[in-house]
Amino acid sequence: MDDQPKPGKIIAVHLNYPSRAAQRGRTPSQPSYFLKPASSLAGTGGTIERPLGTELLAFEGEVAIRIGTAARWVSPAEGWSHVDAVTAANDFGLYDLRAADKGSNLRNKGGDGFTPLGPRWIPAADVDPAGLRVRTWVDGELVQDDSTGTLLFDFGRLVADLSQHLTLEPGDVILTGTPAGSSVVEPGQTVEVEVDAPEAPGAPTSGRLVTTVTAGTRAFGDFGSQPSVDDTQRAEAWGTPAPEPAFVLTDAMRERFGGVAVATLSAVLRKRGYTDVFVEGVHAGRPGDRFVGTARTLRLIPFRPDLFASHGGGFNAQKRAFDAVEPGEVIVVEARGERGTGTVGDVLALRAQVRGAAAIVTDGGVRDAEAVAEIGIPVFSQGPHPSVLGRRHVPWETDVTVACGGAAVQPGDVVVGDGDGVLVIPPALVAEVLAEAEAQEAADAWVAQQVAAGHPVDGLFPMNATWRARYEAETAGGAG
C-alpha cells in the first residue's frame, strides 16, 4: 500500500448495497456508521487471527475511500471532490462478540488486522465513483461481485452526511459497505479483495488485497465479555438470506373474507386435505355475528387446587391474554370442550373490545352472557354458564399452540367465523384459499340464479361440463 500515515479516523457504513440489504431483510432510509480503530489496519499478504474459542469470523469486501481535503458541512454534490483515492478493504468481523458490543462493533470489528487495505490506492480523479467494481475471492472462488453504481448512498452523500457531524480530515478512511456474499472463513483459508474501474481508461485497479486466516491460541480472560453465538448470529455471519416476512392479514383481505362463507372456505380447505380445522361445538352469542382475524391463544388446564393457587391468582395467563390482544386479533381459548363453567365474562370481553380484538372463541362456556352480548364483540362459545373459571380450569399459558373444539390453532393462524361456526386457516394457505373461495361463491351465486329461474339441480349443482361451459361463457362475456 502507498506509504501513507495512519488515518485519524476509520468510519464504516453499515448497509449500502441493495443486495446486502435484501440479504439482511432491511433497507435503511439513511446511512448509519461505526468507527474502527487505526490499530486494526493491515496491508496485503498478512494474516488475521480467529481468536481461540470463536467460530464466526466473517469477511466483507469493500471499497475504501480516502479523504484528501478537509470536509465540514459540505453538500452531497461537493462530497466526492474531497476524496483523493480509493482502494480495496476487508472489513472483518467476529460475530461471536456482536452481543457484547451492543452495536458499537468495537470488539467484533476492531481487532488487530481486522481492517486490511490496499495494496494500491487509485487516484479519485481517474475514476467515476459510480463505476467501481468490488470483488472478493475465498480460496480462489469468486464470492462477491458488485458495482458502486448500485449503492443506496453514493460516496458524495456519505462524505456530506458525515461532515454534518464531524470534520473529515486528510487521510481519514471511509469503508463504504459490502455487497451480498459475505460469509464465514476458517483458519487456513485465504481471502482476496480487489477494487477496479473496468470502464475507466487503463482499467485502474487496487490489485488484490490478500489475507490469510490463522487460528488463535490464547483464550479471552474472564475479566471481559466472552464469545457467545446463537442461531441468529450464525445465520447473519454465514450470509443466510433473511426469513420471509411474517404473514400479514391486510385490510383488503379482511374485506374479501367478508364476502365468503365459512362453509365455502371449509370445502376449499377439504380439497387440500384439511378436514380437522373446524372448531366443533361453538356458536355465536348473537345471531348474525361474523369475524376474521389472526389468533392469539390462551390455554386452560384442568382444575387442581395447588396449580390454581400458583397460577390462578394475580395477573394470570387469562388476564395477560386479554390485556395483550392486539387490534384485529382473535382470542382463542382452549378449554378442552368443558362447558360447565365460564371462560370469559363481561369485564374481559369489554377489555378485548377496547383493545380492538376481532372476536373471542372458546370451546368452553361464557359467564354474564347477556352482558357480553350487549358489549358487541363477537363471542363464539359452547354457550352460557354462570360459574367462574376456577370451578373447572387453571389459566396456564398464552401464545402457544392450542386445541380448541378439536382444531389445532397456532398463534398467527387466520380464524374466520359466521353463522355456521369457526374455521382455522394456516397463513401459508390464505391467499389461494381465499381466491378459490371467492371463485366458488361467484359460481354458487350463478347456480342459484339458474335454480331460481326454474332449472333442476341435477347436472347444475355441481355443474357438469355443459353447465360449466355455459357459466364460463356467460361470466367471461360479462367481464368483457
Side-chain angles (χ1 to χ4, degrees):
M1 190 169 63
D2 295 349
D3 186 17
Q4 294 286 334
K6 284 186 177 181
K9 296 183 285 294
I10 305 171
I11 304 170
V13 180
H14 282 109
L15 282 173
N16 202 9
Y17 284 84
S19 61
R20 180 68 161 176
Q23 190 179 50
R24 285 289 195 242
R26 56 184 185 274
T27 299
S29 59
Q30 300 292 343
S32 61
Y33 314 93
F34 58 93
L35 290 168
K36 299 191 76 170
S39 56
S40 68
L41 286 171
T44 190
T47 61
I48 182 171
E49 182 180 289
R50 189 186 75 179
L52 185 67
T54 64
E55 62 174 278
L56 300 178
L57 177 66
F59 64 86
E60 294 182 7
E62 307 199 12
V63 177
I65 62 176
R66 186 176 66 194
I67 300 299
T69 57
R72 178 66 169 154
W73 292 108
V74 303
S75 70
E78 299 168 324
W80 175 246
S81 68
H82 290 266
V83 176
D84 77 338
V86 303
T87 194
N90 200 333
D91 181 20
F92 279 104
L94 192 64
Y95 282 71
D96 308 66
L97 294 176
R98 280 180 99 193
D101 276 346
K102 302 188 187 306
S104 75
N105 284 341
L106 175 62
R107 282 168 284 202
N108 85 88
K109 282 182 171 283
D112 290 353
F114 275 51
T115 316
L117 298 177
R120 296 186 295 276
W121 288 93
I122 305 170
D126 294 348
V127 298
D128 175 356
L132 297 170
R133 176 175 61 175
V134 58
R135 292 178 293 172
T136 306
W137 295 261
V138 176
D139 292 340
E141 179 183 353
L142 183 66
V143 292
Q144 289 185 295
D145 187 353
D146 214 328
S147 164
T148 54
T150 70
L151 292 179
L152 297 171
F153 316 112
D154 63 41
F155 297 154
R157 180 173 174 179
L158 297 178
V159 172
D161 183 30
L162 288 165
S163 78
Q164 299 182 98
H165 306 287
L166 47 87
T167 299
L168 294 173
E169 300 167 316
D172 286 349
V173 170
I174 303 173
L175 308 184
T176 59
T178 194
S182 165
S183 192
V184 172
V185 281
E186 306 281 347
Q189 292 189 294
T190 298
V191 186
E192 300 171 90
V193 184
E194 181 181 9
V195 168
D196 65 351
E199 303 301 322
T205 176
S206 68
R208 291 202 183 186
L209 172 64
V210 182
T211 308
T212 301
V213 183
T214 64
T217 58
R218 185 168 181 170
F220 290 110
D222 61 4
F223 41 83
S225 296
Q226 299 299 303
S228 175
V229 298
D230 56 24
D231 289 343
T232 298
Q233 298 297 349
R234 288 189 177 94
E236 294 217 338
W238 282 98
T240 303
E244 291 295 320
F247 170 81
V248 176
L249 183 63
T250 64
D251 289 342
M253 287 180 177
R254 291 177 189 273
E255 185 175 349
R256 291 168 62 195
F257 269 114
V260 296
V262 164
T264 305
L265 292 166
S266 177
V268 172
L269 283 164
R270 187 172 64 249
K271 293 179 183 178
R272 289 160 173 78
Y274 287 82
T275 58
D276 295 310
V277 289
F278 188 77
V279 180
E280 299 287 350
V282 306
H283 57 271
R286 298 180 311 167
D289 269 350
R290 61 182 302 147
F291 70 87
V292 61
T294 51
R296 177 175 286 267
T297 60
L298 166 64
R299 179 172 173 245
L300 309 177
I301 66 170
F303 176 79
R304 209 174 81 179
D306 58 330
L307 297 180
F308 193 87
S310 62
H311 287 75
F315 193 44
N316 60 40
Q318 182 194 43
K319 295 176 182 177
R320 292 197 303 271
F322 281 81
D323 224 27
V325 65
E326 296 290 338
E329 292 184 332
V330 178
I331 297 177
V332 180
V333 183
E334 176 188 326
R336 308 175 314 284
E338 172 55 67
R339 59 185 301 171
T341 190
T343 58
V344 59
D346 57 348
V347 172
L348 290 180
L350 179 61
R351 180 57 175 160
Q353 184 195 52
V354 169
R355 293 281 301 174
I360 302 166
V361 177
T362 173
D363 62 350
V366 172
R367 289 185 76 228
D368 312 308
E370 292 181 354
V372 169
E374 290 178 2
I375 289 170
I377 185 172
V379 178
F380 285 64
S381 72
Q382 294 256 24
H385 199 284
S387 295
V388 296
L389 180 77
R391 178 171 183 253
R392 296 284 173 84
H393 302 292
V394 178
W396 195 250
E397 57 187 338
T398 64
D399 302 321
V400 295
T401 300
V402 299
C404 183
V409 185
Q410 294 194 298
D413 282 349
V414 172
V415 188
V416 187
D418 66 11
D420 281 342
V422 176
L423 194 69
V424 182
I425 308 174
L429 295 179
V430 166
E432 62 182 84
V433 166
L434 181 54
E436 185 174 335
E438 288 175 320
Q440 186 62 53
E441 290 276 2
D444 289 348
W446 186 85
V447 167
Q449 291 175 357
Q450 309 314 307
V451 173
H455 293 288
V457 295
D458 185 31
L460 176 60
F461 186 69
M463 285 186 276
N464 59 23
T466 301
W467 277 109
R468 175 63 64 179
R470 178 174 168 180
Y471 167 70
E472 291 177 354
E474 289 189 16
T475 55

